[in-house]
Amino acid sequence: MKFFVDTANIDDIAELAATGLIDGVTTNPSLVAKAGRPFTEVIKEICDLVEGPVSAEVVATDYDGMISEGRKLAAIAENVAVKLPLTWDGLKACKTLTGEGTMVNVTLCFSANQALLAAKAGATFISPFIGRLDDINLDGMELISDIRQIYDNYLFDTEILAASIRTANHVKESALAGADVATMPPNVIKSLAAHPLTDKGLATFLADAEKAGIKV
Ligand code: G3P
């Protein structure tokens, strides 16, 4: 499973990239707005920090605008994945941009039929939003499983990028369901390694080593 970090915060990305465990970054207009810096400048800096795909979202909603903005974003760096919303204009733009060799991440996916359309449009990634479905008492993880089954039925190459992840359990369940990628906020990534029994066991090992005067 690939791990992408879902943020536009340069310091958080740099810290996690240094672990060697980050395979890409996803941003969206809300996350970029939080960064409080010029959009293309932030995306360029992120692309220099992380070799893997960096999702940068258009703000146009019409086909021509999406193509124009998508080409500008793709020109920032070769690892830019242009993020397009799951609308008819977004799907049409996806077909065009992927046809030009640009990576496309189709976002704001909330149904299996939407994901089916994105795969037919040649999307590189599809981003089903787990947390936002859970927020309205629907089953976000069921969507991941449904998409996995549909994509496997027809051998679609589009990668399932589990998004809107809020907890470590979302990551585990997404991995069990066969998502190709999980994108998550920095705090969720950091929580994956945490376990009280690990901390307790390490403390015991270190105390015993000190008592015995063990030196390496
Ligand atoms: O960036 C796409 C997605 O991960 C947003 O997550 O928590 O705003 O639903 P969230």
Side-chain angles (χ1 to χ4, degrees):
M1 178 181 243
K2 296 173 195 168
F3 281 1
F4 290 6
V5 57
D6 194 34
T7 184
N9 183 296
I10 296 294
D11 293 339
D12 286 340
I13 295 169
E15 180 188 3
L16 287 166
T19 67
L21 297 176
I22 299 304
D23 303 297
V25 176
T26 52
T27 71
N28 62 45
S30 303
L31 292 171
V32 173
K34 274 183 197 166
R37 292 175 52 196
F39 182 21
T40 53
E41 182 185 297
V42 171
I43 298 301
K44 178 70 173 83
E45 198 164 338
I46 295 171
C47 288
D48 291 341
L49 275 174
V50 175
E51 280 182 21
V54 175
S55 290
E57 189 161 344
V58 301
V59 291
T61 54
D62 64 299
Y63 170 78
D64 291 337
M66 287 175 175
I67 295 300
S68 172
E69 291 182 8
R71 286 171 177 159
K72 281 181 192 166
L73 293 172
I76 293 172
E78 63 179 17
N79 56 326
V80 164
V82 175
K83 226 177 183 182
L84 299 168
L86 216 151
T87 61
W88 279 112
D89 281 78
L91 292 166
K92 190 178 165 191
C94 176
K95 192 81 177 168
T96 302
L97 290 172
T98 52
E100 295 173 357
T102 297
M103 285 191 286
V104 170
N105 177 0
V106 175
T107 189
L108 289 168
C109 172
F110 295 97
S111 78
N113 282 330
Q114 284 183 320
L116 182 51
L117 284 168
K120 286 178 65 64
T124 313
F125 302 104
I126 182 65
S127 289
F129 279 32
I130 300 166
R132 295 193 191 186
L133 284 166
D134 290 358
D135 289 345
I136 59 169
N137 298 318
L138 294 176
D139 186 343
M141 212 47 69
E142 184 180 342
L143 176 57
I144 303 291
S145 300
D146 288 350
I147 297 171
R148 178 74 283 156
Q149 184 175 338
I150 291 169
Y151 281 14
D152 291 350
N153 287 349
Y154 298 96
L155 306 178
F156 284 124
D157 293 329
T158 301
E159 293 187 54
I160 302 170
L161 197 166
S164 188
I165 283 179
R166 306 277 170 75
T167 65
N169 197 49
H170 274 161
V171 179
K172 182 193 82 171
E173 294 298 328
S174 295
L176 287 170
D180 300 285
V181 186
T183 194
M184 56 198 113
N187 65 303
V188 173
I189 294 181
K190 291 174 183 175
S191 75
L192 297 178
H195 198 291
L197 290 181
T198 303
D199 298 340
K200 187 179 175 190
L202 182 57
T204 302
F205 288 162
L206 296 177
D208 290 347
E210 189 173 358
K211 262 188 266 173
I214 294 173
K215 301 284 183 203
V216 179

